Amino acid sequence: MRRTPHLRMLAATLFVACAALVPMAAAPAAAVQTPRIDRHHQDDCPPGGLGPEVTAQLDKAIEDVRRQAGIPGVVVGVWMPGKGSYVRATGVADTATRRPMTTDGFVRIGSETKTFTVTALLELVDDHRIRLDDPISRYVRGVPNGDRITLRHLAEMRSGLFPYTSDPGFVQDLLSDPQRSFTPREVLAYGFKHKNTFAPGTEFQYSNTNLVLLGLVIEKVSGQRLADVIDKRVLRPSHLDHTLFPQGPEFPEPHPRGYTNQTLTGAVADATDWNPSWAWAAGAMISNLHDLRHWAEIVATGKLLSPETQAQRLRTLPTGLPGLSYGLGIFETGGWIGHNGSIPGYETVTVYLPSKKATLVIMINTDITSGGQEPSTLIARAVTGVVTPGNVYDGAISPR
């Protein structure tokens, strides 16, 4: 049996140890009302594509990557105001039945969940119910060095907390029973067994542990389940009617089958119905092309937040990874702002280019790397090389 030393799960890295919550009275309901966003304006991306030449280039670029990387199915949406749009599905949604990939399917969005969790957190900042420089120990007990790690450190991936996906026991437990349901405290315990990797604020390390802790903060301060807070404060105001936070393996139809080689033997498996509870605040959510298109602009422009709080979110810092900087649960690469996602069976990219008000969404039904690179990154690089050659998507968060 092949030993898997590190789980490739961009979708989430959790952490909760004996993390008992500090006894605190829940703050009263905020008087601030979250604004509703009217997205039902006339579409300023003319139908008919981006012109026959660009369309042909995109068709070829996407198909070349899909075949070379062995990606079963790909959905790509590009919207460029004043120029046009490109929406295509290619390949298959099911390798057994050869059912074609379609543009109307739901997918697991992995780490793109972080943009929703951090938005909910930042709304609490705007409500003056928390501060980004509060220590995590104020809300959650048992966090190693928790009196020095702030909420900002967690959102920036600069806490130094050990990534639980590097814990061999977690990898074994999850892959031995992918249907298992994990609680946040259970997954945090895997990481809290290890020493912190660096002092808070001194380095960047992508660790989904950070987001699980922020999810617990949101629940503690709001007195509600994280899924309910995100639904009420983020999804509904944004009119994201096809985005959800599942409690278990439930998965709305239609959706493509998802394929992974993150198995105990390394063999390819169908991960469609694996339980994403282990990913929780860091990577459990589900969405579709339509919603992700609109979310890209909302999260990049801060339509749910005050200008001051959005400015803090977008203050990105170097990651040490070429072409990539990271802010509060959001990254920038080649001028594109947003996040990617990976969870066994699925990968996504949802980004917005402020200089051109352009949006790119990619959804694929595998997370199997090609040449050591995320397949979604290969697609994003190829697409942006055609439509925005001056702004090529050339970096992505990966826990590998």
Side-chain angles (χ1 to χ4, degrees), residues 167-328:
D167 179 75
F170 172 78
V171 175
Q172 178 70 31
D173 290 347
L174 176 62
L175 298 186
S176 296
D177 182 12
Q179 296 297 324
R180 173 178 170 177
S181 180
F182 289 87
T183 68
R185 288 176 177 78
E186 286 173 340
V187 293
L188 286 176
Y190 290 100
F192 287 174
K193 294 185 298 184
H194 302 268
K195 292 181 179 179
N196 291 11
T197 55
F198 52 81
T202 61
E203 297 181 39
F204 173 90
Q205 181 183 36
Y206 192 78
S207 173
N208 296 313
T209 300
N210 299 329
L211 267 289
V212 172
L213 286 169
L214 292 181
L216 290 177
V217 171
I218 293 168
E219 290 198 331
K220 181 62 182 177
V221 174
S222 69
Q224 302 174 53
R225 295 188 317 156
L226 176 63
D228 294 335
V229 174
I230 288 178
D231 181 62
K232 179 181 179 181
R233 297 294 304 271
V234 182
L235 302 183
R236 293 186 193 178
S238 302
H239 298 282
L240 302 183
D241 302 324
H242 298 88
T243 302
L244 65 146
F245 199 127
Q247 297 305 301
E250 62 267 23
F251 202 162
E253 295 282 359
H255 58 256
R257 309 301 297 178
Y259 304 95
T260 188
N261 62 355
Q262 295 197 74
T263 58
L264 291 176
T265 64
V268 176
D270 185 328
T272 308
D273 299 314
W274 286 15
N275 190 336
S277 61
W278 61 270
W280 197 52
M285 290 179 67
I286 293 169
S287 191
N288 71 357
L289 182 69
H290 182 265
D291 277 13
L292 292 179
R293 173 198 174 178
H294 292 285
W295 179 240
E297 180 179 359
I298 291 169
V299 72
T301 60
K303 291 185 177 181
L304 292 174
L305 303 175
S306 69
E308 296 77 17
T309 299
Q310 179 67 3
Q312 292 192 71
R313 172 183 230 166
L314 297 182
R315 189 185 66 182
T316 60
L317 299 172
T319 62
L321 303 171
L324 188 76
S325 60
Y326 204 87
L328 300 176

Side-chain angles (χ1 to χ4, degrees), residues 28 37 64 73 81 115 131 156 184 199 212 216 225 251 255 269 272-273 334 343 351 400:
I37 295 169
D64 285 349
T115 60
R131 296 179 303 170
E156 289 178 338
V212 172
L216 290 177
R225 295 188 317 156
F251 202 162
H255 58 256
T272 308
D273 299 314
I343 195 165
V351 287
R400 292 165 176 71

Side-chain angles (χ1 to χ4, degrees), residues 1-284:
M1 178 177 292
R2 185 176 66 86
R3 180 178 177 82
T4 308
H6 181 82
L7 197 58
R8 301 192 321 260
M9 293 186 177
L10 171 60
T13 301
L14 301 55
F15 248 92
V16 177
C18 323
L21 295 178
V22 178
M24 291 179 63
V32 177
Q33 295 297 314
T34 303
R36 289 186 66 83
I37 295 169
D38 181 11
R39 72 175 190 198
H40 301 293
H41 56 278
Q42 182 174 352
D43 199 328
D44 55 1
C45 296
L50 297 169
E53 182 177 348
V54 172
T55 296
Q57 291 175 353
L58 285 171
D59 286 345
K60 183 179 187 304
I62 293 166
E63 189 60 12
D64 285 349
V65 173
R66 190 184 73 80
R67 293 186 181 279
Q68 291 167 12
I71 304 169
V74 177
V75 175
V76 173
V78 178
W79 296 269
M80 304 187 71
K83 292 187 176 181
S85 58
Y86 173 96
V87 178
R88 289 283 194 281
T90 183
V92 298
D94 187 323
T95 58
T97 66
R98 311 305 295 177
R99 172 168 58 91
M101 197 75 163
T102 61
T103 60
D104 63 347
F106 290 88
V107 295
R108 301 192 187 279
I109 64 172
S111 278
E112 289 195 31
T113 302
K114 293 176 175 64
T115 60
F116 293 93
T117 299
V118 173
T119 296
L121 182 85
L122 294 178
E123 288 186 327
L124 293 175
V125 171
D126 277 341
D127 293 349
H128 305 292
R129 301 174 73 182
I130 62 171
R131 296 179 303 170
L132 286 171
D133 294 319
D134 288 342
I136 184 61
S137 60
R138 180 171 297 177
Y139 306 99
V140 183
R141 283 186 180 148
V143 180
N145 207 20
D147 58 337
R148 295 185 56 209
I149 295 172
T150 66
L151 306 187
R152 188 188 304 275
H153 289 142
L154 296 169
E156 289 178 338
M157 301 293 177
R158 293 175 179 272
S159 70
L161 289 168
F162 184 88
Y164 84 96
T165 53
S166 295
D167 179 75
F170 172 78
V171 175
Q172 178 70 31
D173 290 347
L174 176 62
L175 298 186
S176 296
D177 182 12
Q179 296 297 324
R180 173 178 170 177
S181 180
F182 289 87
T183 68
R185 288 176 177 78
E186 286 173 340
V187 293
L188 286 176
Y190 290 100
F192 287 174
K193 294 185 298 184
H194 302 268
K195 292 181 179 179
N196 291 11
T197 55
F198 52 81
T202 61
E203 297 181 39
F204 173 90
Q205 181 183 36
Y206 192 78
S207 173
N208 296 313
T209 300
N210 299 329
L211 267 289
V212 172
L213 286 169
L214 292 181
L216 290 177
V217 171
I218 293 168
E219 290 198 331
K220 181 62 182 177
V221 174
S222 69
Q224 302 174 53
R225 295 188 317 156
L226 176 63
D228 294 335
V229 174
I230 288 178
D231 181 62
K232 179 181 179 181
R233 297 294 304 271
V234 182
L235 302 183
R236 293 186 193 178
S238 302
H239 298 282
L240 302 183
D241 302 324
H242 298 88
T243 302
L244 65 146
F245 199 127
Q247 297 305 301
E250 62 267 23
F251 202 162
E253 295 282 359
H255 58 256
R257 309 301 297 178
Y259 304 95
T260 188
N261 62 355
Q262 295 197 74
T263 58
L264 291 176
T265 64
V268 176
D270 185 328
T272 308
D273 299 314
W274 286 15
N275 190 336
S277 61
W278 61 270
W280 197 52

